[in-house]
Amino acid sequence: MVKDPVCGMEIDERKAIKGSKDGQTYYFCSEYCRNKLLPYARVEPVRKSSHCCHEERNARSSAMAGDAARYICPMHPDINQDHPGDCPKCGMMLEPETFVLEESLENEEIASLLKKLMGGIAFGLPVVGLAAREMIPGLEDGMSAGKVSGWLQFILAAPVVFGAGGFFFIRAWKSIVHRSLNMFTLIAMGVGAAYVYSAAVVLFPQIFPESLKMDGQPPLYFEAAVVITVLVILGQYLEAKARAQTGQAIKVLLGLAAKDAHRLREGKEEEVPIDEIQKGDWLRVRPGEKIPSDGVIVEGKSFVDESMISGEPVPVEKRLGDRVIGATVNQTGTFVMKTERVGPETLLSQIIQMVSEAQRSRAPIQGTADKIAGVFVPIVMAVAVVTFMAWFLWGPPPAFAYALVNAIAVLIIACPCALGLATPMSVMVGVGHAARYGILIKNAQAIERAEKVTHVLVDKTGTLTEGKPRVVSIVPAREMGEQELLMTAGSLEQSSEHPLARAIVQDVKRRGIEIFSVEEFESVPGAGVRGKFKQRDVYLGKRKFIEGLAGDIPEDLQKKSVELEEKAQTVIWVAAGKHIIGILGIADPIKETTPVAIKTLHQMGRKVMMLTGDNEITAKAVARELGIDQVRAQLEPRDKQRVVKELKEQGAWVMMAGDGINDAPALAESHVGVAMGTGTDVAMESAGITLVKGDLGGIVKTLILSRCVMRNIRQNLFFAFIYNALGVPVAAGVLYPFFGWLLSPMVAGAAMSFSSVSVIWNALSLRRVKL
């Protein structure tokens, strides 16, 4: 017996869940790991034991024996530490190197930021209100004028700047220590300068030259410090919310696994939790149940829905010796299977691992503001230093006061409050506009990356096609009508359990054709069905089955069947007595909007590639009809992900569109994942964009919108900086020797206000973009 190092529970090695990696054996605490897939707890061998994967595990328990969780920065992989925190280079929150369900930590972070945001708004609104009253003529009164207003702003702004926004200064200090200046450096510098300067005006007004005073007092910038702080906290809060959603795909995948299994042991059947299943166990699987684990059938037969793996809607017939996959759904028959893979070895576990790794490797949006700040910050600091030295050495008396005021003025004017609006405003308006067209965009990364896409990869079933097989061709014999052919086929198939039989019956009912009962019904496995209908022997099934019962096949039907098969249709033969009365073609029809969408993508210069788990003949037939550039068929989930990786390594920007669980790893791996709204929850959680209508035309609209949004963001960043950058020389006092001008509160206020108005007005123009 050994004790679990986290919960202290004793682990019986004979009953514990066991896994292996690199030749090492791992044991898990079954009490906490019950009904959960195991490989996503980070495990390390500790005398044949490891920690449990309790969902509420957090950083404090990570430091305990045997658990060495690491946290890395997606932007800077060299930042790697054993506890959560911020990246010292870019200020981003670090992410766990190995996927863990740390909901408590995520919730704490979101709750903390929301608390700071609400506090910032509560204390900041009065500051903005007081500042606004001073700027509007006729609104001054005893409360808002002079020292009283200054002291109120000084007191109310402190909790916002140093309380709610205190982490700005921590991140800025780290960026300076690590010599990696970023947006937080610029924000902390501007906010700190605005507050400190304004506080000096309130506390020591006598040290400022008269030329800088208006109505007996130099200008205050408390409202600028407050607005910048609240805007940046809002951005951090939205980022934390988005990051918390990235684990939803994993959680949905975890929920797909069977919870219990029917184990056969010594002639008895017992229901046991899935985590007690071991290799070699015999399990009974009944109709409608999920297959507990990967294995092979040793008794019985059935049809199994494997669409979560292959993406194909038609269930697969399974017989003695055939392999079955855990989490797929048994449909019709009962069988006994022998377990071959458990825990991290199962295919579902491997899919979860692939999705987890792909999501963790996705770098956040490349902050254009950070890139600019990396150059802008040192320039502004240099200008501020030069300004101070120039005024101190050659300025009029009091030289020190002039030097200090003008240097701080440079720092204040260099930090535009519009910087906090530039990206979020464009993204917010763009996302809202996209939603009107049924395009749901999860995050800003998807918008930025969509602009650069060179290759569009699409799944076939449910993406290019409708995802539901149905009768698409009806070819009666010369002496037979369509209605009679369908009535015969529908009546015969209503008693069949074959998946294609449902497609025929549903189509017959949809057309309003009456079906009748069939006598002496018999199913011939792997061939077809037979029975008596209207006093005649009727047959339906494969060509060989019909040939052996109904004789020769008419030449016209034979040619037509070849034509239908070339179009990737499954041909069903129908005979009555000794005569073949017609054939039916069953296929997954292409969506009406698909051809136009692919043609438009080609016109936009994008290459289109199909990735499908279907057979190569069907895939090529669909690709030929649609004019798709490349086809990869008979792919497993890992194969699709590998194709995406290969294209990325070649320098391509990849957009992947799919609708199934089998597409989830590729969706997460791609630069931009697009899920069909008609597909699975896993696909939608793994993707950055969801098309509500499941229409490929939404991809075209997304590419157009992304180009417009990114152009709008660049314009906003220009507006956010240009007015303030032009104000820096004035703040430095370059016009003083010629005109006696120094930076006035009107110049600073106008620059900040006008840049913000420009950003908002420009972002709202996105609503006029036609998609």
Side-chain angles (χ1 to χ4, degrees), residues 523-538:
S523 176
V524 182
V529 294
R530 63 198 302 174
K532 278 190 175 294
F533 178 64
K534 292 185 177 182
Q535 306 303 316
R536 288 196 302 174
D537 290 327
V538 289

Side-chain angles (χ1 to χ4, degrees), residues 1-220:
M1 288 279 192
V2 293
K3 284 189 177 182
D4 185 281
V6 171
C7 65
M9 183 175 178
E10 290 187 340
I11 300 177
D12 187 341
E13 295 180 14
R14 294 170 299 175
K15 298 179 180 179
I17 304 153
K18 187 174 7 178
S20 62
K21 181 180 180 184
D22 301 329
Q24 298 283 353
T25 300
Y26 301 85
Y27 292 84
F28 301 82
C29 168
S30 59
E31 180 67 19
Y32 285 105
C33 294
R34 185 160 305 208
N35 297 334
K36 297 180 178 67
L37 293 178
L38 308 178
Y40 306 103
R42 182 171 178 81
V43 295
E44 299 289 342
V46 183
R47 295 193 307 275
K48 291 189 176 182
S49 72
S50 182
H51 67 274
C52 73
C53 63
H54 190 288
E55 251 184 57
E56 299 302 321
R57 184 176 78 256
N58 57 30
R60 290 180 293 275
S61 63
S62 295
M64 301 183 74
D67 187 4
R70 306 293 299 179
Y71 293 82
I72 62 175
C73 174
M75 292 276 290
H76 304 94
D78 55 308
I79 303 300
N80 189 312
Q81 60 189 43
D82 60 1
H83 59 278
D86 302 328
C87 173
K89 290 188 176 180
C90 63
M92 284 188 57
M93 285 289 294
L94 300 181
E95 296 181 356
E97 186 177 22
T98 302
F99 178 79
V100 290
L101 296 175
E102 296 186 81
E103 291 185 358
S104 58
L105 286 179
E106 291 174 352
N107 293 336
E108 285 177 14
E109 180 192 355
I110 294 172
S112 174
L113 286 170
L114 181 60
K115 184 178 179 181
K116 291 174 181 177
L117 179 62
M118 293 297 100
I121 293 174
F123 284 92
L125 281 177
V127 175
V128 175
L130 288 169
R133 291 176 66 88
E134 291 183 355
M135 286 190 258
I136 301 176
L139 290 183
E140 298 90 342
D141 54 34
M143 179 61 68
S144 64
K147 294 183 178 181
V148 175
S149 175
W151 276 97
L152 284 175
Q153 293 182 55
F154 169 67
I155 294 171
L156 292 171
V160 180
V161 174
F162 300 110
F167 66 99
F168 297 169
F169 298 95
I170 296 174
R171 294 183 180 183
W173 176 250
K174 288 181 179 179
S175 73
I176 295 172
V177 171
H178 289 83
R179 299 178 183 178
S180 179
L181 303 180
N182 53 47
M183 181 176 169
F184 287 104
T185 319
L186 184 60
I187 291 171
M189 183 177 67
V191 169
Y195 185 87
V196 171
Y197 165 79
S198 302
V201 170
V202 173
L203 297 172
F204 312 106
Q206 67 277 5
I207 69 171
F208 294 91
E210 290 296 326
S211 59
L212 292 178
K213 295 182 180 180
M214 291 185 63
D215 299 326
Q217 179 176 286
L220 300 176

Side-chain angles (χ1 to χ4, degrees), residues 5 75 119 144 169 177 236 359 431 444 462 514 549 591 695 714 727:
M75 292 276 290
S144 64
F169 298 95
V177 171
Q236 293 295 297
Q359 284 188 332
V431 168
E514 188 176 4
L549 298 169
K591 295 177 181 178
D695 183 352
R714 295 184 188 104

Side-chain angles (χ1 to χ4, degrees), residues 345-363:
E345 299 174 347
T346 63
L347 184 57
L348 178 61
S349 296
Q350 293 170 14
I351 291 176
I352 294 175
Q353 179 68 22
M354 287 185 287
V355 173
S356 174
E357 290 177 353
Q359 284 188 332
R360 190 173 60 248
S361 67
R362 301 176 83 184

Side-chain angles (χ1 to χ4, degrees), residues 58 139 221 261-262 356 373 516 526 556 585 614 641 650 661 692:
N58 57 30
L139 290 183
Y221 294 98
H262 305 287
S356 174
F516 302 89
D556 58 334
D614 204 354
Q641 186 187 33
Q650 295 169 12
I661 297 166
V692 175

Side-chain angles (χ1 to χ4, degrees), residues 264 277-285 291-299 320-325 335-342:
L264 302 177
I277 299 301
Q278 298 179 359
K279 288 183 181 180
D281 283 347
W282 284 36
L283 311 175
R284 188 184 303 279
V285 185
I291 296 174
S293 190
D294 296 2
V296 61
I297 293 180
V298 294
E299 180 183 310
L320 185 68
D322 289 343
R323 295 186 180 278
V324 289
I325 301 170
F335 62 84
V336 176
M337 61 173 286
K338 180 181 178 181
T339 302
E340 292 186 335
R341 296 177 180 176
V342 295

Side-chain angles (χ1 to χ4, degrees), residues 266-388:
E266 297 178 356
K268 296 181 180 179
E269 181 177 319
E270 57 179 346
E271 184 172 326
V272 296
I274 192 66
D275 53 19
E276 294 185 14
I277 299 301
Q278 298 179 359
K279 288 183 181 180
D281 283 347
W282 284 36
L283 311 175
R284 188 184 303 279
V285 185
R286 296 183 172 86
E289 294 181 343
K290 291 181 179 179
I291 296 174
S293 190
D294 296 2
V296 61
I297 293 180
V298 294
E299 180 183 310
K301 62 181 180 179
S302 183
F303 283 93
V304 176
D305 181 358
E306 293 186 343
S307 59
M308 65 163 277
I309 303 301
S310 66
E312 300 310 307
V314 180
V316 181
E317 186 176 8
K318 297 290 184 179
R319 296 176 173 275
L320 185 68
D322 289 343
R323 295 186 180 278
V324 289
I325 301 170
T328 57
V329 182
N330 181 32
Q331 289 210 324
T332 55
T334 299
F335 62 84
V336 176
M337 61 173 286
K338 180 181 178 181
T339 302
E340 292 186 335
R341 296 177 180 176
V342 295
E345 299 174 347
T346 63
L347 184 57
L348 178 61
S349 296
Q350 293 170 14
I351 291 176
I352 294 175
Q353 179 68 22
M354 287 185 287
V355 173
S356 174
E357 290 177 353
Q359 284 188 332
R360 190 173 60 248
S361 67
R362 301 176 83 184
I365 186 170
Q366 295 290 333
T368 307
D370 275 354
K371 293 179 180 179
I372 297 175
V375 177
F376 195 65
V377 170
I379 291 176
V380 169
M381 295 180 71
V383 171
V385 171
V386 170
T387 299
F388 180 88

